[in-house]
Amino acid sequence: MEVIELGPLIVKLSALFGAAVLIERFLVIVNGVLNRLFIIQTSIRYQEVDYFNGQMKLAMKATEEEKVLDDPNQAQKDPREIEPNPNHPFRESNFDILKISSLEEETDTEKRFEILKRMNKVRKEFWMQLFGTVIGIIACYYSKFSIWVFVTSAIKSVPVDSVEPAMWEFAFTGVIIGSSSKPINFLMNFLLNRKIEIKRTEVREKLAAPIAKANVSKNMGPQPQAAVPVMSVKPMTIEEIVGFDYDGGDRPERLEHTHIFKKKVDLIVYHHTAMHSDSPFEELVKEFDRKGWLTGYNCVVFKDGSIRALCRWDRFGNHARPHNSHSLGIALQGNFETNASVPYSNHDGRYGIKAPTNKQVDGMARITALWSLMHEIDLKFPSKDEDNTKYIVPHKHIAPKACPGNSFPYKTFERKVTYYYEQWSKDETFGQALEEFKEMPYVMPNY
């Protein structure tokens, strides 16, 4: 029997391994391209379907809301601004069911997407492995490369160089190369992931070093500080002047195709929320969600004077039916009705403070003055006997409500609004900032 020489065998095995590595890398590139194409195609299809379904639901809900808000037969015994309608398909009793249904639909969509990904992965791996094997066989045939020649040489007792490989030997070698690409892929991924993890550890150590140094410096006492470079003064924004941050309110995309102003805003209605004065913004959002409404007031001021947008300002909210479609609504968080004969009143302090804080009233006055200048609303405060369909009015003047309560400082509020309105209307810096603010998203309606 011919003795197999170790040198040529090692060369052949090295070439075999090298060919398997090359095919594995090639298949990884092809696999990455196919994955990207699949994810893009599938994601676009599901996004289009989900977006269409979402817009249909919002449109249906908005239509039902408008019917309820325009219904003159609705009972208005509850002094709170937004009352649940017992016949509304999105009423409070059904809202949890709607949320669960929406969650299930979202979960089903994710499951379908994951199933498609797994099915695609199984099919793709089969065809990729077959593709790699075919490439290996073709490469072996044209390069006349075969690992079986050593076995043939040993069996026939002839030199390796004199063995002429048959077609099936090229196929055999090609199958070995193609099938070896999978374990090599596992090995390459293991090595690459380990390298990435080592790099992450190094980065963490580098990031931790300055913190540790700072802690040491802190323990050593004050250190000499470098000179602060002189910075150019940036023009003030309307948010800095008035004192608020505008982000479009809660989930502004929900109102993209609904609650659109059909005519010019000419009315500002001010309220109290009738909730506990310590309730956070998130609880106010939940309150409207529980009642099944898409949105609520355009703005809310809390007892510390902080101002938050709830409904985006280029859309109308749910706060003063039937005048929502041409008005903006602002509310103070709290219940400021102290007459015990009024249902849900705060005569005993069950809803927190019984009168709004100075910071609250001042914040409401600043936003009201801002809105008046933005929409060119005349600075008028009509009495209950006058026309209350425009200008600046409390909710109780346009509805049989106690809102914003008998302890609300109406005269102080009107005086503050007038002060800010007159000051800002003459201020060029304010005027420039206001024009820039109007160009921001979710700010000005497109009449």
Side-chain angles (χ1 to χ4, degrees), residues 113-325:
F113 186 72
E114 287 300 321
I115 291 172
L116 276 176
K117 282 175 61 178
R118 291 174 186 174
M119 290 174 61
N120 181 69
K121 182 179 179 181
V122 172
R123 290 196 301 266
K124 186 177 59 184
E125 287 188 356
F126 170 76
W127 289 109
M128 292 291 288
Q129 199 69 49
L130 183 61
F131 182 50
T133 302
V134 170
I135 293 176
I137 294 173
I138 294 173
C140 289
Y141 176 76
Y142 280 102
S143 63
K144 304 302 179 184
F145 178 77
S146 171
I147 196 68
W148 190 263
V149 293
F150 292 100
V151 178
T152 304
S153 171
I155 293 174
K156 295 183 178 181
S157 299
V158 295
V160 173
D161 296 339
S162 64
V163 177
E164 184 69 25
M167 183 61 195
W168 68 267
E169 294 181 40
F170 297 135
F172 174 79
T173 308
V175 168
I176 293 176
I177 293 174
S179 60
S180 298
S181 64
K182 194 66 178 177
I184 289 174
N185 181 259
F186 285 127
L187 176 62
M188 296 289 284
N189 286 337
F190 172 76
L191 294 175
L192 289 173
N193 290 336
R194 181 172 176 80
K195 183 178 180 181
I196 291 172
E197 188 59 38
I198 291 173
K199 287 290 184 182
R200 285 175 178 168
T201 304
E202 292 176 356
V203 170
R204 291 192 193 103
E205 291 174 354
K206 289 180 181 179
L207 291 174
I211 298 175
K213 185 178 180 180
N215 290 335
V216 172
S217 299
K218 183 178 179 181
N219 295 331
M220 293 175 63
Q223 301 294 316
Q225 297 181 358
V228 179
V230 177
M231 304 292 290
S232 60
V233 178
K234 182 181 178 182
M236 293 186 70
T237 65
I238 204 70
E239 293 162 290
E240 292 171 335
I241 296 173
V242 179
F244 70 102
D245 290 317
Y246 184 70
D247 56 1
D250 172 58
R251 294 165 289 181
E253 67 282 351
R254 287 163 47 118
L255 303 180
E256 187 62 32
H257 302 291
T258 185
H259 282 236
I260 300 172
F261 284 107
K262 299 296 192 300
K263 55 183 178 179
K264 186 180 183 298
V265 175
D266 58 3
L267 175 65
I268 298 174
V269 183
Y270 55 97
H271 310 253
H272 67 176
T273 64
M275 296 176 63
H276 197 287
S277 57
D278 291 331
S279 297
F281 178 76
E282 292 74 19
E283 186 60 30
L284 181 64
V285 171
K286 291 178 182 177
E287 179 67 17
F288 282 94
D289 282 347
R290 281 192 289 266
K291 295 178 182 300
W293 302 109
L294 283 174
T295 188
Y297 315 104
N298 294 91
C299 194
V300 182
V301 186
F302 295 84
K303 74 175 187 179
D304 62 353
S306 59
I307 299 168
R308 293 289 300 271
L310 177 60
C311 173
R312 50 192 278 190
W313 293 358
D314 63 338
R315 298 291 187 268
F316 65 81
N318 293 333
H319 64 95
R321 63 186 182 203
H323 300 288
N324 290 314
S325 60

Side-chain angles (χ1 to χ4, degrees), residues 27-40 124:
L27 294 179
V28 166
I29 294 173
V30 175
N31 184 52
V33 172
L34 292 177
N35 277 342
R36 185 175 292 274
L37 291 174
F38 169 79
I39 290 175
I40 291 174
K124 186 177 59 184

